[in-house]
Amino acid sequence: MGIFDFLGGGSGPEKALKLKSKVTQKYGDPTTRQKALQQLGEMKFPEAVGVLLQRYNITVEPLTTDADEKELVFEFIKGFGKDAMGPVTDFLRKNEAATSWALRILEALVPQPEVTTIAVDMLAELSGKYMRNSEKLVVLLHYVTGKADPRIAPTVLPYLEDMSDEVKLAALKALGPLKYEPAREPILKLLANKEIARRVQTAALGALQESGFGVQGYRENVEAAMAEPYFLDGNGLVQRRA
């Protein structure tokens, strides 16, 4: 029998799971919640990590307390080392909120390329699925932007057709510097679609300029959608004014 059995909570993992209601308690005395976080941080069971992560699913007042507690959870989970990888990755997969915290924790546990692989895998898994909240997709897309991984471009490309403008914008930002040829026509089609929001069209112009793609086959559409600071040169390339 372990020490936690004597403390009136069953085995260590069982005690960790029983603390979930206190960790996610938004109202009442905050010391109850903070004590539960401290207890979980001192455990060494994967179940404790899973419960600690639930703190990221609520926001409490005042916001300074909320931020302090979330930072404390970050430090506690870091202390679990690679034992936290499974619960954190599982949390990232199953939750629509707190994606940025999950990625930050993963970066503290393993080298950045491994986190990029996880993010790309997640984007591939979510592609084509309905998301009530687009925040998760946007955070994942922002995370892979500027990263070196050959899977990023083909994985991001389908998100140009997402219903959310925020997702389209994030996908365009990620694709622009990658110069991924299969993205040329989908980007041009965004410009040709008169129902697309103006800010998405402007972001598409930016992606074309970064990619260096010509506008052949879509010149009239591009000219009609042109907006400062971009212009179309004589070679059919989108340029940006200095």
Side-chain angles (χ1 to χ4, degrees):
M1 183 177 290
I3 185 171
F4 290 110
D5 298 309
F6 290 111
L7 295 178
S11 67
E14 289 173 348
K15 185 172 180 62
L17 295 173
K18 286 181 178 179
L19 288 171
K20 180 179 177 180
S21 61
K22 294 182 179 179
V23 165
T24 55
Q25 177 182 301
K26 292 184 66 172
Y27 307 106
D29 187 353
T31 59
T32 300
R33 185 177 58 248
Q34 292 160 5
K35 182 179 178 181
L37 294 175
Q38 185 71 41
Q39 287 178 288
L40 289 160
E42 294 171 358
M43 296 181 186
K44 294 303 173 188
F45 307 100
E47 290 83 0
V49 176
V51 177
L52 281 166
L53 287 163
Q54 297 306 310
R55 177 60 185 82
Y56 291 122
N57 283 333
I58 65 167
T59 300
V60 303
E61 297 290 345
L63 292 180
T64 51
T65 296
D66 187 70
D68 288 345
E69 288 182 15
K70 286 176 176 174
E71 197 66 41
L72 183 64
V73 169
F74 171 76
E75 294 297 332
F76 281 149
I77 295 177
K78 266 203 318 181
F80 284 79
K82 290 196 175 183
D83 288 341
M85 279 293 296
V88 177
T89 304
D90 191 53
F91 177 82
L92 179 61
R93 178 172 290 106
K94 293 179 179 179
N95 286 264
E96 290 191 16
T99 303
S100 57
W101 277 106
L103 291 171
R104 183 183 168 197
I105 293 168
L106 288 172
E107 278 199 314
L109 298 175
V110 296
Q112 180 267 311
E114 290 187 41
V115 186
T116 299
T117 296
I118 292 170
V120 172
D121 286 342
M122 208 70 63
L123 284 167
E125 182 180 313
L126 294 171
S127 184
K129 293 184 178 179
Y130 170 73
M131 298 286 290
R132 180 175 53 84
N133 184 345
S134 63
E135 178 188 358
K136 180 173 185 173
L137 295 176
V138 171
V139 172
L140 288 168
L141 288 165
H142 282 323
Y143 185 80
V144 301
T145 299
K147 303 291 195 306
D149 186 312
R151 293 176 53 205
I152 291 175
T155 301
V156 170
L157 182 56
Y159 286 102
L160 291 181
E161 299 179 6
D162 195 87
M163 293 178 63
S164 165
D165 284 349
E166 297 303 324
V167 172
K168 290 190 190 78
L169 290 168
L172 286 165
K173 185 175 181 180
L175 286 167
L178 295 176
K179 307 181 190 301
Y180 183 57
E181 179 60 33
R184 187 189 82 89
E185 192 160 346
I187 293 173
L188 287 165
K189 285 181 177 178
L190 284 178
L191 285 168
N193 187 343
K194 294 181 180 179
E195 296 182 0
I196 293 297
R198 188 62 175 166
R199 63 193 181 119
V200 175
Q201 289 185 322
T202 302
L205 289 170
L208 286 173
Q209 184 267 323
E210 271 197 285
S211 301
F213 294 144
V215 301
Q216 56 270 27
Y218 291 85
R219 188 180 185 99
E220 288 186 9
N221 298 115
V222 175
E223 287 176 340
M226 196 57 63
E228 291 293 341
Y230 302 102
F231 67 96
L232 196 60
D233 69 12
N235 296 317
L237 297 175
V238 176
Q239 303 289 358
R240 184 185 178 98
R241 301 186 198 281

